[in-house]
Structures are given as C-alpha cells and as structure tokens.
Amino acid sequence: MILGAAAGYAAKDIRLFLQSLSKTEFHGRLVLFVYARQIDAIRAAIKSYAPSLKVELIRIKGIREHARFTRSCIKRLFALAPAERSPALKRALLRFQGMLHVTRYFHYEAYLDAHPGFANVLLTDVRDVVFQADPFAQLETGLSVGMETDRLTIGTEHFDRDWILDAYGEAMLQRLADKQISCSGVTLGDLASVRGYIGKMLQEILRQPFSKMKTRIYDQAFHNKMLHCGELADAHLCQPCCSRIATVGCMQPSDFVLSSQGRLLNQGGQVAPIVHQYDRHPELVNTFSAWVFA
C-alpha cells in the first residue's frame, strides 16, 4: 500500500506521480488524503491518466481548506484552548491546524489502524515523486529511508540546520552537524516497521509546544534526529542512484545517467524505482514527462 497526502494540490500537480505509477508492476492500493473540494478533479484525473490503479481517496479536514477569514477565526479560537493541559486536545487541534507535513502522520496512523492487512507500506510525497518500477520489488525487511547527496550534511544545509536548531537546540545540532541528511519525504518498509516509525514520529511531533508546532514543518528534523540517534535501528539507508530511492534534489546534473528510454539509472545500470525531488532539475522534468506522457 502507498499512502500520500495530496491535500491542496491540483490534479495536474500529481499527474506524473499517478501516471508513472500506473506504468509499473505495482498492483497494490494507493491511498491519497485530500480535501473535499479536490475529490471530483482528482477522481477524474485518475480515470483519465491512470485507470488501472486501485486508488482510494480519503477526505480529510484541515484549516487550510477554509477561506482566510474563517481560518483567522479558527486560529483565534484555538489559541485560547488549553492544548498543553490535555494530550487528547493537543492532538486534535494539531491534526486540524498543523501543516500537512505534520498532519499527514495522524492520517497515516488512523488509516493503518483501520486497515491492518497489508504487508508493506510506502509513505510518500506526491508532487515531486515519479516511479520507474514497482517500489516494493525485492523489498528488505525493516525500514528504508532516502538519503540525500553526501556532499551536504545537516550542519551545512541551511534548511536542515535551522529545523534541527529550532526543534531541538544547539546541543542536538552539534551532535548531528556532520551527519548525512535523510529526506523524510519517502519512507517504506514492512507494516510493523512503518507503524513503529509513524508512532515515533508522532511522539516527536507531540513533544513540541502546540504554539510552535501548529506552524512548523519539522517532520524532517524529527526524522533525522530519530535516524541518527539510533531510534530507527532497522533502517536501510537508500543512497541516491545506488538503491530503490533516488533523492536527487541536491545532486548535480552531471551525476545523472539516463537510459535511451529516458529512465534515471542507478550506478549498476538498473532503473531507480522511486525518484524524488526530480522537479529541481528541468532536464529530468522534461525527460520524465516525455516518457510518461508518450
């Protein structure tokens, strides 16, 4: 099963995601979490671009589906709530008001609680992911996480540096400064490993003050803290262009090897099943669009 949060995206934004997946040998279930106003357009896109996929659209509720005035009123009301005094209230408020990077983990947890019968699960971004092969083929037991280029570290990449610093402070930043960055946007594994990962992610989210977390997108800070502090003991580090996840955003165009059919190849000459952050590179956007839309 593949779980992805598509709330807020237009159907055109996820066309490559849908259509590329339909070209692979994936025969599982794709679950997309969307707002009510998106359902008709995305359902039509699936019918047009990827009719062979088994897709379930789950309507979620969130502050960003409302008009600006309504959002302002909700924020003022929530600011008066004693969120820190009640874990249940804090969870409910954050699930509704938090950024989608954060709230998606609440939705993933709820869906897996209600649908326990799947062997393997992929948690993925949808706007900047393209599939070249079945993401679950020959999947290892445990958790597989995507790594970014080793040319950068948490201490030298300014977004990751600031996220860790604000979420955990200077001592944690110094502890992790020389570590390779893992991108939280694509994570997969067997059901037990993924459920354990989601549970730990939610623990990190809920440890932060509601007043801070309602506006932060610190999923990657939590992800890297857990990985590099030994809390994800079963994790496989998927290096870009060496594994099933090619996280290419910070790579150089000279790093890419493309086949004559327009596929991004790993160092061994096989296609990388999942390509993440391809949209940072116009060459890859053009290449994948030509292949997928042909």
Side-chain angles (χ1 to χ4, degrees):
M1 179 166 57
I2 298 175
L3 302 178
Y9 290 133
K12 64 180 178 62
D13 297 329
I14 62 173
R15 182 180 175 183
L16 263 174
F17 176 91
L18 292 169
Q19 203 161 338
S20 65
L21 183 61
S22 73
K23 288 178 173 285
T24 73
E25 296 300 314
F26 173 72
H27 298 296
R29 181 186 303 179
L30 169 63
V31 181
L32 297 177
F33 299 89
V34 298
Y35 295 140
R37 66 175 182 268
Q38 300 174 266
I39 290 177
D40 289 344
I42 291 181
R43 185 174 288 129
I46 294 165
K47 184 177 180 180
S48 297
Y49 306 142
S52 64
L53 289 180
K54 300 174 183 176
V55 185
E56 184 176 2
L57 301 181
I58 302 296
R59 190 229 167 151
I60 61 173
K61 297 180 180 180
I63 195 170
R64 286 159 190 83
E65 64 179 322
H66 296 285
R68 182 177 297 178
F69 177 75
T70 304
R71 292 201 303 268
S72 178
C73 293
I74 293 172
K75 289 177 182 178
R76 289 173 181 267
L77 179 62
F78 282 12
L80 300 175
E84 300 304 329
R85 298 181 188 177
S86 169
L89 177 61
K90 181 178 180 179
R91 171 184 278 261
L93 295 178
L94 188 55
R95 177 172 175 162
F96 184 82
Q97 189 178 344
M99 304 295 285
L100 192 62
H101 292 74
V102 170
T103 62
R104 58 183 172 177
Y105 294 97
F106 294 102
H107 301 306
Y108 294 161
E109 180 187 58
Y111 191 87
L112 291 178
D113 283 346
H115 302 82
F118 289 84
N120 300 305
V121 181
L122 165 63
L123 312 177
T124 183
D125 290 350
V126 297
R127 183 189 56 79
D128 60 354
V129 167
V130 68
F131 297 94
Q132 302 189 120
D134 181 355
F136 296 104
Q138 300 178 336
L139 181 65
E140 308 91 340
T141 300
L143 205 66
S144 292
V145 300
M147 306 302 292
E148 302 204 26
T149 175
D150 60 7
R151 298 188 184 107
L152 296 173
T153 65
I154 290 172
T156 59
E157 201 288 310
H158 68 280
F159 287 112
D160 287 275
R161 175 187 173 87
D162 290 347
W163 291 333
I164 290 289
L165 184 61
D166 193 38
Y168 293 110
E170 181 67 32
M172 182 62 72
L173 175 61
Q174 293 305 315
R175 180 176 178 181
L176 304 184
D178 63 346
K179 301 298 184 182
Q180 185 181 1
I181 301 163
S182 178
C183 182
S184 60
V186 176
T187 302
L188 71 161
D190 61 85
L191 178 62
S193 295
V194 172
R195 284 181 63 89
Y197 170 78
I198 293 171
K200 292 175 183 177
M201 180 68 79
L202 288 173
Q203 287 178 1
E204 296 297 322
I205 290 168
L206 291 168
R207 285 191 182 112
Q208 296 286 326
F210 172 72
S211 58
K212 175 189 288 189
M213 206 62 235
K214 64 186 180 183
T215 59
R216 302 299 202 271
I217 57 169
Y218 287 172
D219 58 313
Q220 186 146 313
F222 306 144
H223 175 93
N224 277 282
K225 178 261 186 182
M226 294 189 301
L227 176 65
H228 293 302
C229 290
E231 297 170 37
L232 304 177
D234 61 349
H236 302 281
L237 308 188
C238 295
Q239 299 294 339
C241 295
C242 297
S243 64
R244 70 177 62 252
I245 307 172
T247 306
V248 299
C250 293
M251 297 180 69
Q252 300 298 318
S254 58
D255 296 328
F256 304 143
V257 177
L258 297 171
S259 74
S260 58
Q261 291 78 35
R263 312 295 199 280
L264 179 66
L265 300 180
N266 280 332
Q267 292 180 3
Q270 298 82 24
V271 297
I274 308 168
V275 184
H276 185 206
Q277 301 176 352
Y278 70 88
D279 61 329
R280 280 69 159 176
H281 302 281
E283 176 187 12
L284 293 183
V285 173
N286 294 334
T287 297
F288 290 147
S289 297
W291 160 56
V292 173
F293 300 156

